[in-house]
Amino acid sequence: MSTFRIAVIGGTGPQGKGLGYRWARHGHEVVIGSRSAEKAVPVAHEVADRIRSEGGAPVVSGASNADAAAAADVVVLAVPYAGHDELVASLAEQLAGKVVISCVNPLGFDRTGPYGLDVERSAAESAASLVPSASVVGAFHHVSAPTLWSQAEYLDHEDVLVCGDSAEAKEIAVELARAVTSRPGVDAGALRLARQLEPLTAVLISINKKYKIRSGIRISGL
């Protein structure tokens, strides 16, 4: 298995921290990114301490978003949609030429519940437009943050769907899914399909609320 130095931009949030934990416990070097290193370092320590308590030997550190992205092989965007474009634009130099995995979901919430925002293009497509030299893929949209941080060895009840226009970048995301579900991710097609994958998260949130569960997506027939 190949290992990577992965920068998780927005790694102090629940989903970013959970993904960082899953990758670090399977041998990847993880850098938790945040607007300031002071905020990122305590979360990195929390992730590392937990893995050590489980018998692992993690390599986890904290840094500013810019420093984290600059030193990484793979950069994961795990940030809220609000302010997404401004953040990506500010990191354009650090993201240039790299594999960028977006798990950003443009969602809104009202009295009726969650819904997908009516946006011109998906968050992943927006990132690709802002940093044309980066190889952007969309993945890990539908994995629940509490489940990522849970005691479960693997989230083997679900699959990670991966979309992108670079076969090489998709292969990296497909491989990284093993640390989460125990299986390779599912190649779900071109990057433009992020327009369907991102708002689908709202459906899962609605199901979770109704049935008091942590639902996921599993593809049958593979």
Side-chain angles (χ1 to χ4, degrees):
M1 181 189 76
S2 299
T3 57
F4 300 97
R5 189 166 202 242
I6 306 170
V8 185
I9 305 304
T12 58
Q15 187 178 31
K17 183 175 77 169
L19 286 169
Y21 162 68
R22 294 283 164 176
W23 289 323
R25 73 197 290 263
H26 283 86
H28 299 283
E29 182 178 351
V30 172
V31 185
I32 299 294
S34 186
R35 284 174 292 181
S36 69
E38 290 76 15
K39 186 177 179 183
V41 169
V43 175
H45 287 166
E46 181 184 4
V47 171
D49 288 347
R50 176 173 178 182
I51 296 171
R52 279 192 288 267
S53 74
E54 297 167 344
V59 180
V60 186
S61 59
S64 68
N65 284 328
D67 288 344
D73 306 313
V74 178
V75 180
V76 177
L77 301 176
V79 298
Y81 181 68
H84 167 271
D85 287 4
E86 291 81 1
L87 175 61
V88 172
S90 74
L91 297 174
E93 180 179 350
Q94 292 84 0
L95 299 178
K98 296 189 175 178
V99 173
V100 176
I101 299 175
S102 173
C103 55
V104 178
N105 297 310
L107 301 181
F109 297 84
D110 60 18
R111 294 177 63 184
T112 304
Y115 62 95
L117 296 177
D118 185 12
V119 294
E120 182 178 349
R121 57 192 173 193
S122 67
E125 289 175 298
S126 182
S129 176
L130 290 164
V131 192
S133 68
S135 297
V136 179
V137 298
F140 302 99
H141 301 101
H142 309 128
V143 184
S144 153
T147 309
L148 285 168
W149 192 247
S150 73
Q151 298 294 327
E153 180 69 17
Y154 290 104
L155 281 57
D156 54 8
H157 64 289
E158 55 190 296
D159 285 309
V160 172
L161 306 185
V162 180
C163 63
D165 296 333
S166 164
E168 294 79 9
K170 281 199 288 187
E171 277 301 312
I172 289 174
V174 163
E175 182 61 29
L176 288 177
R178 290 183 187 274
V180 177
T181 66
S182 78
R183 297 183 303 282
V186 177
D187 186 336
L191 189 65
R192 67 184 182 182
L193 293 179
R195 301 174 202 174
Q196 282 70 50
L197 295 182
E198 291 174 1
L200 183 59
T201 303
V203 178
L204 297 180
I205 294 172
S206 184
I207 292 170
N208 292 344
K209 182 177 180 181
K210 170 67 177 179
Y211 293 99
K212 305 297 187 292
I213 58 171
R214 297 294 178 186
S215 59
I217 291 177
R218 182 73 186 265
I219 303 301
S220 63
L222 292 179

